[in-house]
Amino acid sequence: MPNGFVYLDEIIPTAQYEIRYYSANNFTGTRVDGYKAPLAIFSKTAATALKKVSDDLERKGYILRIYDAYRPQKAVNHFVRWSQDAGDIKMKLQYYPKLDKQNLFKLGFIAKKSGHSRGSTIDLSLADKKTGALVDMGSPYDFFGEISYYNTSLVSAKQHANRKLLKDAMAKHGFKPYSKEWWHFTLIKEPFPKQYFTFNVE
Ligand SMILES: C[C@@H](N)C(=O)N[C@H](C)C(=O)O
Ligand SMILES: [Zn+2]
């Protein structure tokens, strides 16, 4: 791992780590290239900021559920190849039921050059600190459709309040939200704003 990166579970041991692209439970239906272990790697700067988010939320009774952090460019390239294979729709019902997979990039749900590969972008949700149960955000992680837009009218007031709880906690410590995915945030003062890394997650 290059200098300036850390393992998030060493900085935030109380979080839940469900690294979807290491598993087959993701929109491709297979383990994604470059994920050699179910780990979250993050820039040290972003990890320090995220620890503050986690501490704030723990005081309110929540822990973080982390789905993805640093993402190798080779993983993004895997997503691109997957999108071009129109015959493979095994995860369509679960992840993109109303959309054509080849449109997911132009609709903004997946990026060909992703902030994740710069090491300071994260996909996450919240869980209840006592029970470990996932907080209801109105749509599941990586569900590609309008219901996952932060400001959609398709979710209840309570679900929107849960999204806002996460967004406000992230914004307080310098993370910028993404309007099309309630779970996706980038550290504004990211330390590697122009570098797209491709080292393995291991
Ligand atoms: C694929 C999804 N988890 C995500 O991170 N989407 C954004 C747009 C990205 O690929 O950077
Ligand atoms: Zn993301």
Side-chain angles (χ1 to χ4, degrees), residues 21 68-69 71 109 114 116 121-124 141-142 178 181 183-185:
Y21 304 139
D68 191 35
R71 181 186 304 163
F109 292 113
S114 171
H116 286 277
T121 292
I122 191 152
D123 291 343
L124 80 173
Y141 169 60
D142 264 0
Y178 180 48
E181 295 174 344
W183 56 82
H184 177 104
F185 296 86

mmCIF file of all heavy atoms in Angstrom, residues 21 68-69 71 109 114 116 121-124 141-142 178 181 183-185, ligand 2:
data_model
loop_
_atom_site.group_PDB
_atom_site.id
_atom_site.type_symbol
_atom_site.label_atom_id
_atom_site.label_comp_id
_atom_site.label_asym_id
_atom_site.label_seq_id
_atom_site.Cartn_x
_atom_site.Cartn_y
_atom_site.Cartn_z
ATOM 1 N N TYR A 21 -17.619 -5.357 -3.018
ATOM 2 C CA TYR A 21 -16.942 -5.725 -4.272
ATOM 3 C C TYR A 21 -15.956 -6.867 -4.071
ATOM 4 O O TYR A 21 -15.460 -7.435 -5.044
ATOM 5 C CB TYR A 21 -16.281 -4.496 -4.920
ATOM 6 C CG TYR A 21 -17.281 -3.374 -5.166
ATOM 7 C CD1 TYR A 21 -16.953 -2.048 -4.930
ATOM 8 C CD2 TYR A 21 -18.577 -3.657 -5.606
ATOM 9 C CE1 TYR A 21 -17.875 -1.029 -5.141
ATOM 10 C CE2 TYR A 21 -19.507 -2.640 -5.808
ATOM 11 C CZ TYR A 21 -19.144 -1.335 -5.567
ATOM 12 O OH TYR A 21 -20.068 -0.332 -5.776
ATOM 13 N N ASP A 68 -17.480 0.418 0.740
ATOM 14 C CA ASP A 68 -16.340 0.543 -0.175
ATOM 15 C C ASP A 68 -15.608 1.835 0.177
ATOM 16 O O ASP A 68 -16.241 2.814 0.579
ATOM 17 C CB ASP A 68 -16.811 0.597 -1.637
ATOM 18 C CG ASP A 68 -15.658 0.450 -2.624
ATOM 19 O OD1 ASP A 68 -14.694 -0.299 -2.334
ATOM 20 O OD2 ASP A 68 -15.703 1.079 -3.702
ATOM 21 N N ALA A 69 -14.296 1.829 0.008
ATOM 22 C CA ALA A 69 -13.512 3.049 0.241
ATOM 23 C C ALA A 69 -12.611 3.210 -0.990
ATOM 24 O O ALA A 69 -13.139 3.427 -2.091
ATOM 25 C CB ALA A 69 -12.753 2.929 1.562
ATOM 26 N N ARG A 71 -10.896 2.335 -4.248
ATOM 27 C CA ARG A 71 -11.283 1.351 -5.289
ATOM 28 C C ARG A 71 -10.239 1.393 -6.406
ATOM 29 O O ARG A 71 -10.071 2.435 -7.055
ATOM 30 C CB ARG A 71 -12.649 1.730 -5.861
ATOM 31 C CG ARG A 71 -13.177 0.777 -6.937
ATOM 32 C CD ARG A 71 -14.487 1.330 -7.543
ATOM 33 N NE ARG A 71 -15.496 1.576 -6.548
ATOM 34 C CZ ARG A 71 -16.576 2.349 -6.751
ATOM 35 N NH1 ARG A 71 -16.780 2.935 -7.934
ATOM 36 N NH2 ARG A 71 -17.443 2.536 -5.777
ATOM 37 N N PHE A 109 -24.489 6.704 -12.123
ATOM 38 C CA PHE A 109 -24.475 5.751 -11.007
ATOM 39 C C PHE A 109 -23.128 5.048 -10.844
ATOM 40 O O PHE A 109 -22.822 4.507 -9.772
ATOM 41 C CB PHE A 109 -25.592 4.715 -11.163
ATOM 42 C CG PHE A 109 -26.958 5.306 -10.997
ATOM 43 C CD1 PHE A 109 -27.841 5.379 -12.072
ATOM 44 C CD2 PHE A 109 -27.357 5.826 -9.779
ATOM 45 C CE1 PHE A 109 -29.101 5.947 -11.927
ATOM 46 C CE2 PHE A 109 -28.610 6.389 -9.617
ATOM 47 C CZ PHE A 109 -29.491 6.453 -10.694
ATOM 48 N N SER A 114 -13.282 7.140 -11.170
ATOM 49 C CA SER A 114 -14.031 7.332 -9.932
ATOM 50 C C SER A 114 -13.190 8.014 -8.860
ATOM 51 O O SER A 114 -12.000 7.702 -8.695
ATOM 52 C CB SER A 114 -14.488 5.964 -9.415
ATOM 53 O OG SER A 114 -15.034 6.101 -8.121
ATOM 54 N N HIS A 116 -13.296 7.238 -5.949
ATOM 55 C CA HIS A 116 -12.827 6.156 -5.070
ATOM 56 C C HIS A 116 -11.374 5.792 -5.368
ATOM 57 O O HIS A 116 -10.635 5.415 -4.458
ATOM 58 C CB HIS A 116 -13.696 4.918 -5.246
ATOM 59 C CG HIS A 116 -15.054 5.011 -4.622
ATOM 60 N ND1 HIS A 116 -15.289 4.761 -3.285
ATOM 61 C CD2 HIS A 116 -16.268 5.325 -5.156
ATOM 62 C CE1 HIS A 116 -16.577 4.903 -3.016
ATOM 63 N NE2 HIS A 116 -17.203 5.251 -4.141
ATOM 64 N N THR A 121 -12.719 8.827 -1.197
ATOM 65 C CA THR A 121 -14.172 8.734 -1.432
ATOM 66 C C THR A 121 -14.647 7.437 -0.790
ATOM 67 O O THR A 121 -13.954 6.415 -0.863
ATOM 68 C CB THR A 121 -14.469 8.758 -2.941
ATOM 69 O OG1 THR A 121 -14.155 10.053 -3.451
ATOM 70 C CG2 THR A 121 -15.926 8.459 -3.244
ATOM 71 N N ILE A 122 -15.824 7.495 -0.189
ATOM 72 C CA ILE A 122 -16.328 6.330 0.558
ATOM 73 C C ILE A 122 -17.812 6.110 0.303
ATOM 74 O O ILE A 122 -18.555 7.059 0.054
ATOM 75 C CB ILE A 122 -16.035 6.511 2.076
ATOM 76 C CG1 ILE A 122 -16.288 5.223 2.833
ATOM 77 C CG2 ILE A 122 -16.823 7.677 2.666
ATOM 78 C CD1 ILE A 122 -15.451 5.082 4.085
ATOM 79 N N ASP A 123 -18.217 4.845 0.339
ATOM 80 C CA ASP A 123 -19.631 4.455 0.297
ATOM 81 C C ASP A 123 -19.975 3.890 1.662
ATOM 82 O O ASP A 123 -19.356 2.900 2.105
ATOM 83 C CB ASP A 123 -19.861 3.362 -0.757
ATOM 84 C CG ASP A 123 -19.698 3.853 -2.181
ATOM 85 O OD1 ASP A 123 -19.716 5.069 -2.419
ATOM 86 O OD2 ASP A 123 -19.565 2.993 -3.074
ATOM 87 N N LEU A 124 -20.982 4.481 2.320
ATOM 88 C CA LEU A 124 -21.295 4.015 3.671
ATOM 89 C C LEU A 124 -22.728 4.314 4.068
ATOM 90 O O LEU A 124 -23.423 5.101 3.413
ATOM 91 C CB LEU A 124 -20.337 4.634 4.687
ATOM 92 C CG LEU A 124 -20.572 6.063 5.193
ATOM 93 C CD1 LEU A 124 -19.593 6.373 6.317
ATOM 94 C CD2 LEU A 124 -20.482 7.098 4.122
ATOM 95 N N TYR A 141 -28.010 -0.030 -0.508
ATOM 96 C CA TYR A 141 -26.727 0.385 -1.081
ATOM 97 C C TYR A 141 -26.603 -0.098 -2.529
ATOM 98 O O TYR A 141 -26.924 -1.237 -2.852
ATOM 99 C CB TYR A 141 -25.575 -0.198 -0.249
ATOM 100 C CG TYR A 141 -24.235 -0.035 -0.910
ATOM 101 C CD1 TYR A 141 -23.743 1.230 -1.206
ATOM 102 C CD2 TYR A 141 -23.477 -1.145 -1.278
ATOM 103 C CE1 TYR A 141 -22.516 1.390 -1.843
ATOM 104 C CE2 TYR A 141 -22.248 -0.997 -1.903
ATOM 105 C CZ TYR A 141 -21.783 0.282 -2.186
ATOM 106 O OH TYR A 141 -20.577 0.439 -2.825
ATOM 107 N N ASP A 142 -26.141 0.805 -3.381
ATOM 108 C CA ASP A 142 -25.889 0.507 -4.800
ATOM 109 C C ASP A 142 -27.153 0.140 -5.569
ATOM 110 O O ASP A 142 -27.079 -0.543 -6.599
ATOM 111 C CB ASP A 142 -24.817 -0.575 -4.997
ATOM 112 C CG ASP A 142 -23.425 0.024 -5.250
ATOM 113 O OD1 ASP A 142 -23.282 1.266 -5.278
ATOM 114 O OD2 ASP A 142 -22.467 -0.768 -5.428
ATOM 115 N N TYR A 178 -23.004 13.281 -2.699
ATOM 116 C CA TYR A 178 -23.264 13.119 -4.142
ATOM 117 C C TYR A 178 -24.776 13.033 -4.320
ATOM 118 O O TYR A 178 -25.419 12.165 -3.714
ATOM 119 C CB TYR A 178 -22.567 11.854 -4.638
ATOM 120 C CG TYR A 178 -22.762 11.565 -6.104
ATOM 121 C CD1 TYR A 178 -22.582 12.556 -7.066
ATOM 122 C CD2 TYR A 178 -23.116 10.284 -6.530
ATOM 123 C CE1 TYR A 178 -22.758 12.278 -8.416
ATOM 124 C CE2 TYR A 178 -23.277 10.002 -7.877
ATOM 125 C CZ TYR A 178 -23.099 10.998 -8.812
ATOM 126 O OH TYR A 178 -23.278 10.729 -10.144
ATOM 127 N N GLU A 181 -26.483 9.510 -5.193
ATOM 128 C CA GLU A 181 -26.305 8.314 -4.355
ATOM 129 C C GLU A 181 -26.165 8.764 -2.904
ATOM 130 O O GLU A 181 -25.159 9.381 -2.543
ATOM 131 C CB GLU A 181 -25.052 7.531 -4.792
ATOM 132 C CG GLU A 181 -25.184 6.961 -6.204
ATOM 133 C CD GLU A 181 -23.910 6.306 -6.741
ATOM 134 O OE1 GLU A 181 -22.819 6.535 -6.171
ATOM 135 O OE2 GLU A 181 -24.018 5.576 -7.736
ATOM 136 N N TRP A 183 -25.289 7.332 -0.377
ATOM 137 C CA TRP A 183 -24.213 6.661 0.371
ATOM 138 C C TRP A 183 -22.801 7.124 -0.005
ATOM 139 O O TRP A 183 -21.834 6.683 0.604
ATOM 140 C CB TRP A 183 -24.287 5.143 0.113
ATOM 141 C CG TRP A 183 -24.217 4.803 -1.363
ATOM 142 C CD1 TRP A 183 -23.088 4.708 -2.134
ATOM 143 C CD2 TRP A 183 -25.329 4.542 -2.225
ATOM 144 N NE1 TRP A 183 -23.431 4.410 -3.432
ATOM 145 C CE2 TRP A 183 -24.797 4.292 -3.516
ATOM 146 C CE3 TRP A 183 -26.718 4.469 -2.037
ATOM 147 C CZ2 TRP A 183 -25.612 3.998 -4.615
ATOM 148 C CZ3 TRP A 183 -27.526 4.172 -3.137
ATOM 149 C CH2 TRP A 183 -26.974 3.941 -4.403
ATOM 150 N N HIS A 184 -22.639 7.993 -0.989
ATOM 151 C CA HIS A 184 -21.320 8.282 -1.600
ATOM 152 C C HIS A 184 -20.829 9.688 -1.196
ATOM 153 O O HIS A 184 -21.520 10.682 -1.427
ATOM 154 C CB HIS A 184 -21.495 8.160 -3.116
ATOM 155 C CG HIS A 184 -20.305 8.490 -3.956
ATOM 156 N ND1 HIS A 184 -19.523 7.529 -4.572
ATOM 157 C CD2 HIS A 184 -19.772 9.677 -4.312
ATOM 158 C CE1 HIS A 184 -18.569 8.116 -5.276
ATOM 159 N NE2 HIS A 184 -18.692 9.427 -5.135
ATOM 160 N N PHE A 185 -19.621 9.760 -0.635
ATOM 161 C CA PHE A 185 -19.065 11.021 -0.123
ATOM 162 C C PHE A 185 -17.576 11.119 -0.461
ATOM 163 O O PHE A 185 -16.855 10.114 -0.398
ATOM 164 C CB PHE A 185 -19.201 11.084 1.401
ATOM 165 C CG PHE A 185 -20.627 11.097 1.887
ATOM 166 C CD1 PHE A 185 -21.312 9.897 2.094
ATOM 167 C CD2 PHE A 185 -21.292 12.288 2.123
ATOM 168 C CE1 PHE A 185 -22.631 9.889 2.533
ATOM 169 C CE2 PHE A 185 -22.608 12.297 2.562
ATOM 170 C CZ PHE A 185 -23.286 11.098 2.762
HETATM 171 ZN ZN ZN B 2 -19.223 5.544 -4.234
#
